[in-house]
Amino acid sequence: LAEGVRVLVDGFVGNSYRVEMAPGKHLWIEKDVLSKETDSGTPPTANVRTINIENEEGNGGRVVVPLNQRLPYEVKQELGPNNKLTLKVYGATADTDWVTEPSTAANAVDQLHGSAAPNKSDRAHNPVNYVTWNQLADRVYQVVVNLSGKNQWGYWVDYDGTNLVLHINGAPNVALAEGSLRGLRICIDPGHGGREVGAIGCSGIKEATINLAIAKKLERILQDQGAQVIMTRNEDVDVSLGERVAIATAAKADLLLSVHNNSLPDGRNPWTEHGTSSYYYHPQSREFANTTRAATVEEVGLPDYNTRWQNLALCRPSRYPAMLMEVGFVINPDEYALLISNEGQERAALGIAKGVRSFLSQALYAAPAAR
């Protein structure tokens, strides 16, 4: 939640407050994240009278919900034939008469259906197709943002004063001419580094060292194809997880890819659990992780250890498709021997690069797959 969001606390356990989002819906927030007010304890509320669709710089768009105070919110992403984002504003009540668009000062909303048909004449690069709204429940106002395009390329929510703003990225301007990735901004994150050595290989080489070697080769390949590459580190230094995400965000990356190599906890069998895997968090990143893993498996030749959802810091950003690649297992002697070799690192970088290109080709020019 953005700074300044007001919530009603109605209980606590240990170091966590229980927060009422709406009647019958609660969440838990650590106490030190919140500052107390001396109000009477009534839930924060606001009436929603207008929804504004606006253009954002580049290919982006945004949906603005004016409020009289900052309320908690939730966003759900859905891909496929129903390509949309669903925004819930807790504490809000519908009094909506207008949905405005960039091409006109104000367009009337069909009150009966709670929707506004789009006028695209002034927003050809805006990914927002049209929006609908409804009062989902008592003190739960819902805005459904229907999107154009083949894929989703990132979103985030913040407040401009008391206006709730859902920012939505459009597709990157990548022509994908033969051999070219010109126009793509991709952030490559060599996992670990500095005091965070990662896993230790069979002969003592640090995972962080292998990650950086592969990432540098990947940087060269992508730059040779015309992409702009941003590295979160270029040497064996400490970079926090938050700093890595901040680097990608500040660079306005189109994609974020974190390069790692794997290990197992004690008691697991490295002869049966090994190979190449990838991880994602948001639905928009699943095909990025899946396609890139498949291309890496084909190029490197290690077993396919599949694509999985996992709650990882480098996968959590919603502003761009983000994934984490585990090329191989440094505790498996055969895979480790390949990963520390120049040939193995080159093949890994080439496979990841092919996966990036394949994902872009599908996401920019193919219809979204049904989920």
Side-chain angles (χ1 to χ4, degrees), residues 252-314:
K252 297 183 178 180
D254 300 310
L255 300 171
L256 170 60
L257 194 154
S258 187
V259 178
H260 282 251
N261 283 280
N262 221 334
S263 180
L264 289 172
D266 291 344
R268 302 270 286 274
N269 187 346
W271 297 109
T272 59
E273 296 185 65
H274 60 100
T276 300
S277 58
S278 62
Y279 300 84
Y280 72 98
Y281 186 86
H282 296 285
Q284 67 185 5
S285 302
R286 182 181 181 276
E287 287 306 318
F288 180 31
N290 197 44
T291 303
T292 306
R293 185 212 82 255
T296 306
V297 168
E298 182 177 359
E299 187 67 31
V300 179
L302 297 181
D304 191 342
Y305 201 52
N306 216 332
T307 293
R308 299 170 172 85
W309 180 94
Q310 192 163 347
N311 186 8
L312 300 171
L314 269 294

Side-chain angles (χ1 to χ4, degrees), residues 138-169:
D138 185 20
R139 297 179 53 234
V140 183
Y141 182 83
Q142 178 172 274
V143 180
V144 178
V145 183
N146 296 274
L147 302 172
S148 57
K150 312 300 184 185
N151 200 62
Q152 291 190 38
W153 293 94
Y155 70 90
W156 71 98
V157 182
D158 60 19
Y159 271 96
D160 181 4
T162 59
N163 291 338
L164 179 61
V165 185
L166 172 61
H167 305 262
I168 304 158
N169 287 332

Side-chain angles (χ1 to χ4, degrees), residues 33 198 206:
V33 176
K206 300 179 293 186

Side-chain angles (χ1 to χ4, degrees), residues 62-121:
R62 59 184 182 177
V63 176
V64 182
V65 182
L67 304 170
N68 63 5
Q69 62 180 315
R70 296 188 175 193
L71 298 177
Y73 52 83
E74 180 182 5
V75 180
K76 178 183 178 182
Q77 185 178 57
E78 183 176 340
L79 277 69
N82 299 314
N83 193 17
K84 63 186 180 183
L85 292 166
T86 300
L87 171 67
K88 294 179 183 177
V89 187
Y90 293 98
T93 300
D95 188 18
T96 308
D97 291 320
W98 298 94
V99 173
T100 70
E101 302 197 16
S103 56
T104 182
N107 291 331
V109 177
D110 184 338
Q111 284 276 59
L112 180 62
H113 297 97
S115 64
N119 182 339
K120 296 184 178 179
S121 60

